[in-house]
Amino acid sequence: MSSLSGYVEKIVYRNDDNGYTVLTVADRKEETTCVGTFQYIGEGEYVELEGEYISHPTYGEQLSVQSYEIREPEDEKAIVRYLGSGAVKGVGPALADRIVRHFKQNTFRVMEEEPERLSEVKGISKRMALEIADQLEEKKDMRQAMIFLQQYGISMKLSVKIYKTYGPNLYQIIKQNPYKLADDIEGIGFKIADEIALRAGISSTSDCRIKGGLQYILSQAGINGHAYLPQEELEDTAAKMLLIEPADIEKHLMDLVMDKKIVVKKTEQGNRVYASMYYYTELNIAAKLRELDLRDELPEKKLESQIDDIQEDTGIVLDELQKRAVMEAARCGIMVITGGPGTGKTTTINTMIHYFERQGMEILLAAPTGRAAKRMTEATGHEAQTIHRMLEINGGPEEEDTHLEHIGMRFERNETNPLETDVVIIDEMSMVDMFLMNALLHAMVPGTKLIMVGDVNQLPSVGPGNVLKDIIQSHCCNVVMLTRIFRQAAQSGIVVNAHRINHGEQIQLNNETKDFLFIRRLEANQIISAMITLMKEKLPAYVDADVLDIQVLTPMRKGALGVERLNTILQQYINPPSEDKREKEYSNTIFREGDKVMQIKNNYQTTWERRGVNDIVVEEGLGVFNGDMGIIRKISTYGEILEVEFEDGKFVTYPFKQLEELELAYAITIHKSQGSEYPAVVMPLLTGPRMLMNRNLLYTGVTRAKKCVCIVGVEQAVQEMVNNKHEQQRYSSLGERMRELDEKENMWG
C-alpha cells in the first residue's frame, strides 16, 4: 500500500452518481493522477491518500485510491493555497494571502469562532466576512451529510440535492419519513425512497410507505398518459408492489383525500382516483373552454359571400364541409377541425387566415414541435411557432404557477399577461397534452378565438390526457370532420393506404405507386442490410434529400429491430469513425461529430442561440424539448462540452454531464415521430409486442412520410397491425368534465 499527501490541484472527471473521480494531487515534488470513489471533495483540499499504483494503457501511472482523509491545512502556505484555490467563492489568491498574513496560523480558528474579524483585512466588508465563514461551515456540514447519506446507498448527485433542499433537517427526515424525498426532490421516486426507508429500518406496513406508494403509482400512470386510475386497478397494483392486502388500502386513500393529495370521483363504472393536480387540470381546461366558447351570430348569406370572394381572389376551391368549417370558425370562440391526410385541412386553414385578415384580426399560428411549426409555416406562408415559444417560456416555475410546477416550466404569457391576438390556430393538436393545453388556455381571454386542427386517429400525446379526442367526443364544442380525399391526394399511395389502414382495410404491398414501397425480407439482419442500402444509395436521390433527412421509424426500443440496436448499427454506416471527427463516450453511447441526435426530455432552463454571419449571436432563448432533433457540430474534450445544431437553427451547448438528455436518432420510435414529417420514412416490420404492433401506430408511421414510405419486412406483420385495432387504453375524462359544466349551466339556465 502506498501513501500520498498533497493538494487537489484539479478535478479531471467526476461521476456525480457514484462518486468515481479522477483528480490530480500536487505534493512538493510533482503532480500525481489519482482515481477512486470520493464521497465529497473539492479543488484546493489537502488530502492524505492510500492505495496502489497502477499503469493505465493511455494515461500512464495512477494511484488507485483505497482510502483517504481530508485534513485542514496546517502551515500558512497551505492555508493560503486552500483559500485561494476557488474553494471559497469570492476569495482569490491575493485576498487569501492578505487574510493569512493578518491572522497567520489562527486563520481557521478566527473564521470559525470570530468570523466578523475577517473585516479587519483590507477589501473585506463585515457582510463578506460572514459570507466567507458561512461557506466554510457549509462545506463542513455538507461533507458530514455526504458521509451520512452514503450509508443509505444515495448517490453523490442526489446527496447534494437532498442537502440543498433540507439542510441540517435531512437527518430527521431520513430517519422518520424518507418518502418525503419523493415528494420534494426531482430524481427521487418512490423506489429510491423505499430503498432508503428499508435501510433506515422503517416498517414495510408504515402509513408513510403505503401513502407514498399510492402516489407513486398515480405518478407513473401520468407518465404513461393516464389522468386517473380506476380504484380497483390502483389497489391491485399497490397490493402487488407493496406486498399488502387490497383491503388495507382504502383507509390510506381517504387520508390522501383529506390531505388534498388525491381526488376520488364516483362513477357508475366504479371509483376513479386522480392525483389532485391531474383532476383540477382537467377541470380548469373544461372551465376555460366554456368561458372562451362565445358565439357571434353572423348572417349566413354575408358569410357565404365573403368566402366566395376569397375563393375567387385566391383560386382556392372548398367543398361543403370545408366551407362549413370556415363559417363556424368565424362564428365560434372554440372549434375543432379534424381529418386524415389529403382531406384539405391546410386549404381550410389558409381560407380561415384570409377571412380573419380581411376582418382586420390579429392571428397567431402555433404547433407543439419545431418541426410541426416549420411545416405549418411552409403550408400557410405565415410564420408559425411552437406553443412554448408563443407562450414565452421562461425557465422554472414561480410559486403562483401551481398548474405547471410538476414539469418545471413557467410561461410569461398567462392570466395577467395574455396573448395579444384575436385568433389562435393550433396544428397537430393530437400531440398537445393536458398541461400544455392548460397553459395555453390560461393565456387566452374571452373574445379570442381558438381553432384546433389535428388528426384524431394519430397517436395521443406523450404527456398525460387525451385532449383532442376528449374535446371531440364531449360534443360540447363545434367540430368539423373532413372526410373527402381530394383528387391530387387520391393519387398518393401514402394517402390512400393511410386511409385504408385507418378503416381496417388491407393495403396493397405491390409497389404500384411511386411513394409507397415494400421490400420483403425475412429476418432482422437482412432487413437492416436492406435499410442501409436504401438510406445510403437509393432514397437520397429518389426523394432529393440528404441521408440524414431520411428517418427510420420502428415500433419499439428494444430487440433486434429496436431503436437502441438500430442506432448503433446505422451510426457505423452513415457516420463512421474518422480521424477528423471527435467523439465522446457517455453511458454506453458513442457521440460523434456529425451524428444525428434527439433531445429526449423537456428542459426548460437550457439556453439556445441562433447565429448569423461569422457566428455572431442574433437571438437567444430558453427551452429544448422532447423530440427536438439536430446534428452534433462540435465536441470539445478540453472544454467538456458538446454542441448541437437543431433543425430550426438553434445551437445548444451541452456540458458532458448533461448528455443523458441526448440519444442517437438515425432510428426513432414511431411515438417520438409525432407531429413530424420527413422526405422519406423507412419502417422495419417483422415481429413485436401485440400492444405496440397496432393499427394506430402503423397509421401514424405511414403519415409521417412526405414523399415516400418504404416498409422493409414481412407482409404478415403489416396485415396484423392493420387488423389489431386495440390501442393501449388511456384513462382520461376531460370530456366528462366538459359535459358536467354544460349540465350545470343548463340546470341553472
Side-chain angles (χ1 to χ4, degrees):
M1 192 78 72
S2 300
S3 300
L4 176 69
S5 300
Y7 304 93
V8 178
E9 191 73 26
K10 181 174 174 58
I11 304 286
V12 179
Y13 169 80
R14 174 185 280 144
N15 183 320
D16 288 330
D17 288 321
N18 59 25
Y20 178 78
T21 307
V22 180
L23 50 84
T24 57
V25 171
D27 60 10
R28 288 190 173 89
K29 299 176 184 175
E30 58 185 354
E31 282 187 12
T32 303
T33 300
C34 303
V35 297
T37 300
F38 295 84
Q39 290 162 330
Y40 183 75
I41 200 163
E43 291 179 356
E45 310 255 30
Y46 187 81
V47 290
E48 292 181 355
L49 312 168
E50 285 197 346
E52 298 287 348
Y53 281 98
I54 58 172
S55 181
H56 189 281
T58 305
Y59 302 110
E61 191 175 63
Q62 302 176 338
L63 181 67
S64 178
V65 178
Q66 310 298 315
S67 64
Y68 70 97
E69 205 171 329
I70 298 172
R71 294 197 176 278
E72 278 192 353
E74 292 174 356
D75 62 69
E76 292 177 25
K77 191 174 179 183
I79 298 171
V80 170
R81 182 166 186 157
Y82 173 70
L83 291 177
S85 69
V88 180
K89 191 177 175 184
V91 178
L95 185 54
D97 186 57
R98 289 205 300 275
I99 292 170
V100 177
R101 271 195 280 120
H102 189 81
F103 296 110
K104 306 200 180 303
Q105 290 191 324
N106 284 327
T107 297
F108 280 120
R109 186 195 63 76
V110 169
M111 285 179 162
E112 286 180 17
E113 298 174 12
E114 306 172 88
E116 67 281 353
R117 285 191 59 201
L118 286 172
S119 61
E120 295 171 13
V121 177
K122 185 181 177 183
I124 300 180
S125 64
K126 283 196 174 178
R127 180 181 171 183
M128 186 179 176
L130 294 175
E131 284 176 357
I132 291 170
D134 285 347
Q135 280 189 65
L136 285 174
E137 188 63 31
E138 186 180 16
K139 284 176 81 71
K140 190 182 292 182
D141 290 348
M142 183 179 272
R143 186 173 293 125
Q144 288 173 350
M146 297 288 129
I147 294 166
F148 172 77
L149 292 170
Q150 292 292 308
Q151 303 170 60
Y152 298 95
I154 302 171
S155 71
M156 282 185 60
K157 191 176 183 179
L158 290 180
S159 295
V160 172
K161 281 188 178 182
I162 292 168
Y163 178 80
K164 286 184 175 176
T165 303
Y166 301 123
N169 294 328
L170 71 88
Y171 302 98
Q172 185 180 4
I173 289 165
I174 293 289
K175 288 173 181 174
Q176 292 181 4
N177 182 13
Y179 298 99
K180 184 171 169 51
L181 274 61
D183 286 340
D184 298 342
I185 299 175
E186 187 184 351
I188 298 184
F190 173 81
K191 289 189 175 178
I192 292 176
D194 204 31
E195 288 173 14
I196 296 168
L198 185 69
R199 290 178 178 173
I202 290 170
S203 166
S204 63
T205 57
S206 68
D207 288 356
C208 61
R209 179 172 188 263
I210 295 172
K211 287 195 281 190
L214 290 167
Q215 289 179 271
Y216 168 74
I217 293 165
L218 287 174
S219 72
Q220 288 299 112
I223 290 169
N224 291 324
H226 302 300
Y228 69 87
L229 284 179
Q231 184 170 329
E232 191 176 333
E233 188 174 324
L234 172 62
E235 289 177 350
D236 287 346
T237 305
K240 288 172 188 168
M241 186 181 88
L242 302 172
L243 302 176
I244 56 175
E245 292 298 318
D248 296 337
I249 293 171
E250 183 119 16
K251 167 193 173 295
H252 297 95
L253 285 175
M254 291 308 103
D255 287 346
L256 288 168
V257 170
M258 296 294 288
D259 292 341
K260 295 185 167 49
K261 300 279 189 183
I262 66 170
V263 172
V264 177
K265 186 88 173 167
K266 291 186 178 179
T267 71
E268 291 178 4
Q269 295 79 33
N271 287 355
R272 296 172 176 176
V273 185
Y274 299 76
S276 291
M277 178 175 61
Y278 288 67
Y279 177 80
Y280 289 110
T281 297
E282 281 196 339
L283 198 58
N284 283 337
I285 293 170
K288 287 294 290 183
L289 286 170
R290 176 140 209 85
E291 184 183 309
L292 291 168
D293 198 9
L294 305 176
R295 189 171 178 86
D296 296 325
E297 293 303 328
L298 300 173
E300 185 95 3
K301 286 189 177 177
K302 185 179 179 183
L303 269 178
E304 284 185 348
S305 173
Q306 289 170 322
I307 293 169
D308 288 342
D309 288 346
I310 292 169
Q311 290 186 96
E312 190 174 325
D313 293 346
T314 62
I316 291 172
V317 179
L318 304 179
D319 71 2
E320 285 307 308
L321 279 173
Q322 291 173 305
K323 194 177 289 187
R324 187 187 139 216
V326 178
M327 293 174 76
E328 291 304 322
R331 288 175 171 145
C332 299
I334 299 285
M335 83 161 295
V336 175
I337 305 167
T338 187
T343 55
K345 295 191 295 294
T346 300
T347 303
T348 308
I349 293 172
N350 282 331
T351 310
M352 288 176 180
I353 291 170
H354 283 297
Y355 172 81
F356 292 129
E357 284 181 332
R358 292 183 182 205
Q359 303 306 307
M361 298 169 81
E362 292 288 327
I363 310 162
L364 287 176
L365 307 183
T369 66
R371 192 180 268 265
K374 185 179 177 185
R375 276 174 53 206
M376 199 180 188
T377 301
E378 291 166 354
T380 63
H382 289 68
E383 185 191 357
Q385 54 195 323
T386 64
I387 299 172
H388 292 88
R389 191 174 179 200
M390 179 178 74
L391 296 178
E392 297 174 22
I393 192 162
N394 188 9
E398 290 182 341
E399 287 181 18
E400 62 267 25
D401 288 330
T402 52
H403 60 292
L404 298 174
E405 277 180 358
H406 78 294
I407 40 177
M409 62 178 171
R410 180 171 65 84
F411 294 111
E412 294 296 326
R413 295 292 179 176
N414 50 39
E415 298 94 331
T416 57
N417 182 29
L419 293 167
E420 296 169 15
T421 188
D422 301 301
V423 183
V424 176
I425 303 176
I426 306 291
D427 199 9
E428 295 287 355
M429 261 302 297
S430 63
M431 295 182 66
V432 176
D433 68 28
M434 64 196 294
F435 294 114
L436 187 56
M437 184 66 175
N438 194 33
L440 171 65
L441 294 174
H442 274 272
M444 296 180 67
V445 294
T448 308
K449 293 179 180 292
L450 175 61
I451 297 162
M452 295 169 275
V453 185
D455 184 347
V456 76
N457 294 305
Q458 298 280 7
L459 290 166
S461 58
V462 174
N466 211 346
V467 174
L468 180 64
K469 199 171 206 173
D470 283 355
I471 290 173
I472 291 171
Q473 292 180 349
S474 73
H475 302 294
C476 295
C477 295
N478 212 302
V479 178
V480 175
M481 187 168 291
L482 304 177
T483 54
R484 177 187 165 195
I485 304 175
F486 286 87
R487 188 178 67 181
Q488 188 176 354
Q491 296 168 358
S492 161
I494 294 171
V495 172
V496 170
N497 284 324
H499 284 275
R500 283 180 181 157
I501 292 165
N502 195 30
H503 295 135
E505 300 168 7
Q506 287 303 326
I507 58 179
Q508 298 299 312
L509 301 174
N510 52 18
N511 295 335
E512 284 188 355
T513 60
K514 292 181 179 179
D515 63 347
F516 198 98
L517 308 177
F518 174 74
I519 297 174
R520 190 167 187 264
R521 293 291 185 271
L522 301 180
E523 60 97 14
N525 288 338
Q526 292 177 354
I527 290 173
I528 294 170
S529 178
M531 285 166 51
I532 291 166
T533 302
L534 281 167
M535 295 177 73
K536 289 196 70 180
E537 300 173 19
K538 306 290 186 184
L539 286 175
Y542 191 67
V543 297
D544 188 25
D546 187 83
V547 63
L548 292 177
D549 293 326
I550 295 161
Q551 189 61 54
V552 174
L553 301 181
T554 179
M556 63 214 99
R557 288 195 60 81
K558 306 286 185 182
L561 293 173
V563 163
E564 293 172 9
R565 180 171 186 248
L566 287 177
N567 271 320
T568 303
I569 295 170
L570 292 172
Q571 181 191 44
Q572 290 299 309
Y573 285 91
I574 294 172
N575 188 34
S578 163
E579 290 181 3
D580 301 331
K581 295 177 180 178
R582 283 164 290 195
E583 298 179 355
K584 168 63 182 173
E585 185 171 356
Y586 183 89
S587 188
N588 299 322
T589 298
I590 293 173
F591 291 106
R592 185 175 295 131
E593 289 176 339
D595 272 338
K596 183 178 180 180
V597 291
M598 174 184 276
Q599 173 82 12
I600 58 170
K601 63 177 280 190
N602 290 336
N603 188 324
Y604 305 100
Q605 274 87 34
T606 290
T607 57
W608 53 262
E609 57 188 39
R610 285 195 174 94
R611 300 169 183 172
V613 180
N614 298 324
D615 283 341
I616 295 170
V617 176
V618 295
E619 186 183 2
E620 292 181 305
L622 283 173
V624 191
F625 306 110
N626 190 355
D628 287 354
M629 293 172 73
I631 308 294
I632 297 175
R633 295 301 184 199
K634 184 172 78 174
I635 295 174
S636 168
T637 49
Y638 177 76
E640 297 188 350
I641 56 166
L642 179 151
E643 187 177 87
V644 177
E645 180 182 5
F646 285 96
E647 291 169 324
D648 50 2
K650 294 175 183 173
F651 284 83
V652 174
T653 300
Y654 291 82
F656 282 170
K657 64 183 178 183
Q658 202 180 321
L659 294 184
E660 63 195 23
E661 296 184 12
L662 291 175
E663 69 179 22
L664 297 175
Y666 299 100
I668 64 174
T669 62
I670 295 172
H671 274 94
K672 287 281 192 183
S673 73
Q674 284 174 271
S676 298
E677 188 177 70
Y678 310 96
V681 161
V682 180
M683 293 175 64
L685 297 178
L686 188 61
T687 59
R690 182 169 169 76
M691 61 180 283
L692 284 178
M693 304 291 281
N694 62 45
R695 182 186 300 174
N696 195 215
L697 203 76
L698 180 62
Y699 175 80
T700 300
V702 166
T703 53
R704 299 307 88 208
K706 185 176 183 181
K707 295 182 180 178
C708 180
V709 61
C710 186
I711 296 174
V712 187
V714 295
E715 296 92 330
Q716 185 183 354
V718 181
Q719 290 161 0
E720 286 176 357
M721 289 183 82
V722 173
N723 291 334
N724 181 13
K725 62 179 182 181
H726 299 292
E727 307 162 34
Q728 197 171 1
Q729 185 176 10
R730 182 169 283 211
Y731 298 121
S732 63
S733 52
L734 172 61
E736 291 170 38
R737 301 289 83 80
M738 294 171 71
R739 286 192 292 275
E740 284 171 1
L741 292 180
D742 261 12
E743 287 163 12
K744 280 183 184 174
E745 182 154 312
N746 292 335
M747 189 186 301
W748 295 101

